[in-house]
Amino acid sequence: MGTVFTSEHLLMAGLAVPGMLALVAATDRHAEHLLGRFYSTRSRVLARAVGWLLLCIALALSVAMQGMGVGFTWWLTWLGAAALAWVFTFAHWARQPPARDRPVRATPRVSVDVASSGMVGQRAVAAGLLVATALVFSIGLVRVQTPPLERNDALHGTIGPWSFIFAEADRQPPERVAMDIPMKEFRLRFCDDCDPQIRQATLKVNRPRNARATGMGFMGQRWERRTEISLPNTLNAQSELWLTVTGKDGSVYQTFWRMDQVSPATVAWFEQQRRPYGSVQ
């Protein structure tokens, strides 16, 4: 996980930094600052195209790796980091020419109509990019998933003297891991005043046989505890999911739900797995 996470950031940096550099080289002022001389209009257009291409590739890869909401945030963050890095780099750029030695470029004579059409075209492109950015950002906001404990299907209740909110991490079928074991993640949050009074909370499918076999413990404190449990092959809609909470004073409380209340997708998945191959619905 850590290696993948690092490689993803390195990939984003490898696209955002040269992309911003290409856009910088496409401007008159910064091209002179960066390269020490002016370049032709054709070269600046090419640099601008390369810069935007790299940034668009970075955006597409970021969204593909992390999803729309997180991916777009990653992209904006790396754009800002790349721009800031070049700002500080330019202040110490060795090839920056002295102000008195900078060549004065003759202003070409163009007709008013040609100049006006060029400005209109540039403004249209800028407006298009702005609208596209706003559209992508809006889509990202719409597609950002609601946190599990804030969804409408989250279960609210009390166990002993403590109130809580409980939900499955996602509404998808279980995930198979090593040895083909189906696993499911759940989230739990106690009230602010309740949390300091709790020693541990555990979760298990089917009623615990004794106090030492109450299932997997929830990790974390306060805003969000989480745990991932294995699911038995015999799981069905009537199977019970038991929550056991132990207070710091030694008190133990338990509550349970039917699996079809907590995770309908999990129940449906197990029913599908038990159907004979080739059966027709």
Side-chain angles (χ1 to χ4, degrees):
M1 180 65 179
T3 303
V4 174
F5 195 74
T6 302
S7 63
E8 290 175 350
H9 279 286
L10 290 176
L11 178 60
M12 292 299 297
L15 291 169
V17 172
M20 292 299 295
L21 178 61
L23 292 180
V24 168
T27 62
D28 291 345
R29 177 180 179 182
H30 296 297
E32 182 188 9
H33 188 151
L34 180 65
L35 305 172
R37 61 189 179 91
F38 291 105
Y39 273 82
S40 65
T41 302
R42 184 176 180 180
S43 299
R44 294 198 303 273
V45 171
L46 179 61
R48 187 177 293 111
V50 170
W52 279 113
L53 178 61
L54 290 175
L55 296 185
C56 288
I57 293 174
L59 175 60
L61 291 177
S62 182
V63 171
M65 291 185 295
Q66 296 296 326
M68 180 61 74
V70 176
F72 189 74
T73 303
W74 268 31
W75 184 68
L76 290 179
T77 301
W78 273 111
L79 255 62
L84 189 62
W86 284 118
V87 166
F88 283 103
T89 300
F90 287 166
H92 305 282
W93 194 257
R95 297 182 60 180
Q96 181 179 359
R100 61 178 179 277
D101 295 332
R102 293 181 183 176
V104 178
R105 187 176 60 172
T107 303
R109 294 183 178 180
V110 295
S111 64
V112 176
D113 293 340
V114 174
S116 299
S117 61
M119 293 181 63
V120 170
Q122 292 178 0
R123 290 176 180 176
V125 172
L129 292 174
L130 181 61
V131 171
T133 301
L135 180 61
V136 172
F137 184 70
S138 300
I139 295 174
L141 289 179
V142 171
R143 296 189 59 181
V144 170
Q145 296 184 356
T146 303
L149 297 176
E150 296 179 12
R151 297 195 311 251
N152 294 332
D153 62 323
L155 301 173
H156 296 251
T158 58
I159 182 166
W162 309 303
S163 60
F164 66 88
I165 306 174
F166 176 79
E168 56 181 340
D170 59 69
R171 289 176 282 195
Q172 302 300 319
E175 179 181 359
R176 290 188 180 274
V177 296
M179 300 181 65
D180 207 30
I181 299 176
M183 303 288 291
K184 189 69 176 176
E185 183 178 346
F186 296 90
R187 307 289 176 85
L188 177 66
R189 180 192 301 166
F190 292 98
C191 68
D192 291 345
D193 295 333
C194 306
D195 200 276
Q197 304 174 26
I198 295 170
R199 178 181 299 167
Q200 70 172 2
T202 56
L203 192 67
K204 182 182 183 298
V205 177
N206 298 324
R207 184 169 187 170
R209 296 180 179 179
N210 54 61
R212 296 183 178 180
T214 57
M216 292 296 297
F218 282 87
M219 304 298 293
Q221 291 184 340
R222 292 195 174 275
W223 291 114
E224 193 166 304
R225 297 173 185 251
R226 62 182 66 194
T227 190
E228 189 173 20
I229 63 173
S230 60
L231 305 175
N233 293 329
T234 56
L235 187 143
N236 55 49
Q238 288 74 37
S239 297
E240 297 172 349
L241 188 62
W242 281 75
L243 172 66
T244 303
V245 180
T246 304
K248 291 183 178 179
D249 59 357
S251 58
V252 179
Y253 301 94
Q254 293 180 314
T255 188
F256 67 90
W257 307 270
R258 283 170 41 126
M259 281 302 304
D260 55 359
Q261 291 179 276
V262 178
S263 181
T266 297
V267 173
W269 183 82
F270 273 97
E271 291 178 352
Q272 179 67 32
Q273 299 302 307
R274 285 191 286 265
R275 287 175 184 160
Y277 289 104
S279 62
V280 179
Q281 296 183 3

